[in-house]
């Protein structure tokens, strides 16, 4: 049974006959993280608001995905886009060379102070009203055991919850405390919480992704063990830091070989752990910079090896494979429909060019509109937002 499908800005691949068998089940909307790549998700959700489309029973988001879902739930079209294009691009939020020279971290506190002030004015009360008796969750990682947890978005702790899901290790200054527990970025253990949606009863799961999808290839453990894509290439900073890399290479000429050997050993160990003992099923996906890239970042910035970051990397490695394969071959009792870009986005997780952000936002709008065009044939349940939710 073909119980998964994809809609992109360029086309779609769905078995509609199979999909309609799940149409009246509990419908979840899941949004992946990815830093500024979340601009694609912002476009998809803005297209939903344009069409007054909200057929979902429950929401799950991670990092930028949770922020975009909050904008959608609060019926504030353009707010998710503005957060990425106007706030995360400001030097107050992140400036690379200050981060390197002074260890100045991502200033999420500044960004959220702006989010609740004019001209943005995130209105969480509207979000509560629009949700009604439905639920919306942000994925976070508990620092005690590195397990994924899901915190309600529209509680009085909403700002701390959104900070926690975005608190990238090595980039944000500290863990976020909520009710006596300490949390970091949900992307460590739950970048795409589709499995959580399924475990909690969703049988039609729409997932908004920030990377292209290949439904023909199951990810194998050895593929995810390829860890030599550098942090600099992932965020597009290689040209800015060429001289810095040269100095680091001269000062620590031998660390790369040692690191690669060490990392491969730890990954092989994680494979044995997976086969030798049962583990609770964790959600996963792509951590903001990739697990190995966060680890390498510590070296590039002169930090020491940190056992905590290594543990996070291993959790990410394990959950990435589990989640990708789960979405590729879902259980027979659910259908997973992914909305994704047809080609790799031009944006980077950080320091994207304005024109690239706008381009990817337009791709999101196109993909969302394609989903809306097909929606009347995809599901038969009511799908329109109550007009009072806009007041």
């Amino acid at each position: 049974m073909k119980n998964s499908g994809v809609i992109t800005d360029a086309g779609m691949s769905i078995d509609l006959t199979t999909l309609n068998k799940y149409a009246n089940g509990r419908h979840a909307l899941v949004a992946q993280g990815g830093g500024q790549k979340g601009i694609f998700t912002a476009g998809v959700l803005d297209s939903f608001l344009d069409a007054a489309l909200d057929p979902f029973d429950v929401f799950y988001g991670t990092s930028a995905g949770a922020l975009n879902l909050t904008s959608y739930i609060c019926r504030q079209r353009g707010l998710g886009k503005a957060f990425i294009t106007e706030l995360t691009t400001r030097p107050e939020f992140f400036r690379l060379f200050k981060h390197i020279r002074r260890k100045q971290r991502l200033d999420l506190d500044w960004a959220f102070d702006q989010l609740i002030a004019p001209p943005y004015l995130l209105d969480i009360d509207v979000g509560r009203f629009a949700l009604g008796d439905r639920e919306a969750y942000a994925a976070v990682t508990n620092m005690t055991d590195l397990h994924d947890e899901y915190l309600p978005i529209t509680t009085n702790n909403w700002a701390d919850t959104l900070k926690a899901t975005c608190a990238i290790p090595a980039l944000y200054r500290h863990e976020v405390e909520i009710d006596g527990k300490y949390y970091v970025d949900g992307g460590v253990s739950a970048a795409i919480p589709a499995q959580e949606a399924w475990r909690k009863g969703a049988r039609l799961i729409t997932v908004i992704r920030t990377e292209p999808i290949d439904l023909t290839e199951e990810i194998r453990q050895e593929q995810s063990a390829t860890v030599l894509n550098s942090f600099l290439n992932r965020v597009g900073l290689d040209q800015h830091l060429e001289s810095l890399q040269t100095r680091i290479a001269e000062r620590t000429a031998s660390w790369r070989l040692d690191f690669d050997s060490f990392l491969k050993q730890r990954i092989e160990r994680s494979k044995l752990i997976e086969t030798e003992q049962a583990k609770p099923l964790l959600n996963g996906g792509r951590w903001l910079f990739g697990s190995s890239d966060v680890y390498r970042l510590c070296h590039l910035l002169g930090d020491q090896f940190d056992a905590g970051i290594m543990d996070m990397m291993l959790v990410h490695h394990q959950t990435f494979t589990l989640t990708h394969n789960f979405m590729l071959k879902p259980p027979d009792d659910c259908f997973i429909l992914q909305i994704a870009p047809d080609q790799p986005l031009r944006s980077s997780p950080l320091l994207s060019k304005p024109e690239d952000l706008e381009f990817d936002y337009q791709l999101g709008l196109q993909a969302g509109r394609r989903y809306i065009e097909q929606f009347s044939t995809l599901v038969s349940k009511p799908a329109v937002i109550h007009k009072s939710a806009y007041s």
Side-chain angles (χ1 to χ4, degrees):
M1 181 182 292
K2 185 66 173 177
N3 57 331
S4 65
V6 172
I7 291 179
T8 74
D9 51 281
M12 55 180 273
S13 175
I14 308 171
D15 184 334
L16 296 178
T17 301
T18 301
L19 174 57
N20 276 311
K21 296 178 180 179
Y22 301 84
N24 291 316
R26 183 172 169 84
H27 192 176
L29 179 61
V30 176
Q32 181 180 10
Q36 290 176 347
K37 287 178 177 287
I39 194 69
F40 175 83
T41 305
V44 173
L45 294 176
D46 279 352
S47 73
F48 288 3
L49 289 177
D50 290 341
L53 181 74
D54 184 1
F56 309 106
D57 301 303
V58 63
F59 304 85
Y60 295 91
T62 298
S63 190
L67 284 166
N68 278 314
L69 282 179
T70 303
S71 172
Y72 171 71
I73 293 167
C74 293
R75 309 307 188 217
Q76 290 177 268
R77 188 194 190 282
L79 185 61
K81 179 185 181 184
F83 185 89
I84 293 173
T85 60
E86 298 176 18
L87 296 180
T88 70
T89 58
R90 293 269 296 274
E92 292 91 338
F93 179 72
F94 181 75
R95 182 175 290 176
L96 175 66
F97 289 104
K98 281 188 177 181
H99 179 65
I100 292 172
R101 294 169 184 167
R102 306 176 191 174
K103 297 295 188 293
Q104 177 176 314
R105 309 301 187 182
L106 287 177
D107 199 340
L108 289 173
D109 303 288
W110 172 85
F112 278 92
D113 286 343
Q114 304 304 308
L115 189 62
I116 62 176
Y120 306 105
L121 290 173
L122 176 64
D123 194 336
I124 206 72
D125 290 330
V126 170
R128 295 188 185 105
F129 177 76
L131 275 179
D133 59 359
R134 298 179 298 169
E135 300 164 323
Y137 298 98
V140 295
T141 300
N142 189 314
M143 282 297 294
T144 301
D145 54 16
L146 297 184
H147 276 67
D148 48 330
E149 293 187 17
Y150 302 88
L151 304 181
I153 291 177
T154 57
T155 66
N156 292 334
N157 286 335
W158 69 266
D160 287 337
T161 295
L162 293 179
K163 286 180 188 178
T165 193
C166 298
I168 305 163
L171 285 183
Y172 186 55
R173 61 176 63 91
H174 51 70
E175 302 91 359
V176 178
E177 180 182 3
I178 300 176
D179 295 333
K181 296 182 179 180
Y182 293 87
Y183 299 103
V184 295
D185 178 20
V188 174
S189 59
I192 313 174
Q195 289 157 294
E196 175 69 9
W198 171 70
R199 286 196 297 267
K200 293 301 175 63
R203 292 301 174 257
L204 176 57
I205 304 172
T206 296
V207 180
I208 306 176
R209 299 284 299 273
T210 53
E211 57 193 359
I213 301 164
D214 183 358
L215 291 177
T216 65
E217 182 178 11
E218 183 172 352
I219 288 186
R220 300 175 177 84
Q221 292 287 345
E222 59 266 26
Q223 287 177 302
S224 58
T226 302
V227 296
L228 299 181
N229 292 325
S230 71
F231 165 79
L232 298 177
N233 287 335
R234 293 293 288 277
V235 297
L237 306 180
D238 51 325
Q239 59 183 359
H240 300 290
L241 292 183
E242 184 175 355
S243 61
L244 175 64
Q245 286 182 284
T246 300
R247 292 197 298 272
I248 293 174
E250 291 172 351
R251 180 167 58 89
T252 58
S254 64
W255 81 263
R256 291 177 186 273
L257 290 176
D258 294 337
F259 167 70
D260 292 339
S261 176
F262 178 60
L263 187 57
K264 289 176 182 177
Q265 291 176 14
R266 294 303 297 266
I267 288 175
E268 289 301 319
R269 176 184 171 189
S270 75
K271 294 184 198 176
L272 293 176
I273 292 173
E274 290 172 0
T275 57
E276 289 176 357
Q277 63 184 24
K279 285 181 171 290
L281 188 62
L282 297 175
N283 294 320
R286 294 195 182 278
W287 198 2
L288 180 56
F289 301 122
S291 54
S292 63
D293 300 327
V294 172
Y295 195 57
R296 175 165 289 186
L297 175 61
C298 293
H299 289 276
L300 289 175
L301 301 182
D303 292 342
Q304 298 296 316
F305 278 110
D306 185 277
I309 287 186
M310 173 56 76
D311 288 340
M312 290 183 219
M313 186 196 70
L314 292 175
V315 168
H316 174 81
H317 164 73
Q318 294 162 2
T319 60
F320 170 75
T321 304
L322 287 170
T323 296
H324 180 89
N325 293 342
F326 172 86
M327 295 173 66
L328 183 67
K329 297 179 180 179
D332 291 341
D333 63 350
C334 76
F335 193 104
I336 293 182
L337 178 58
Q338 300 184 67
I339 304 173
D342 184 63
Q343 299 295 326
L345 296 176
R346 295 183 182 181
S347 306
S348 300
L350 276 176
L351 303 180
S352 304
K353 297 178 180 178
E355 59 269 26
D356 290 339
L357 291 172
E358 182 60 33
F359 183 87
D360 291 342
Y361 175 75
Q362 294 298 325
L363 289 183
L365 286 175
Q366 292 176 35
R369 289 165 182 161
R370 188 175 297 278
Y371 179 90
I372 293 163
E373 289 170 1
Q374 298 296 326
F375 200 86
S376 61
T377 62
L378 298 184
V379 296
S380 57
K381 64 192 300 184
V384 178
I385 296 172
H386 295 295
K387 297 300 181 182
S388 60
Y390 288 101
S391 59

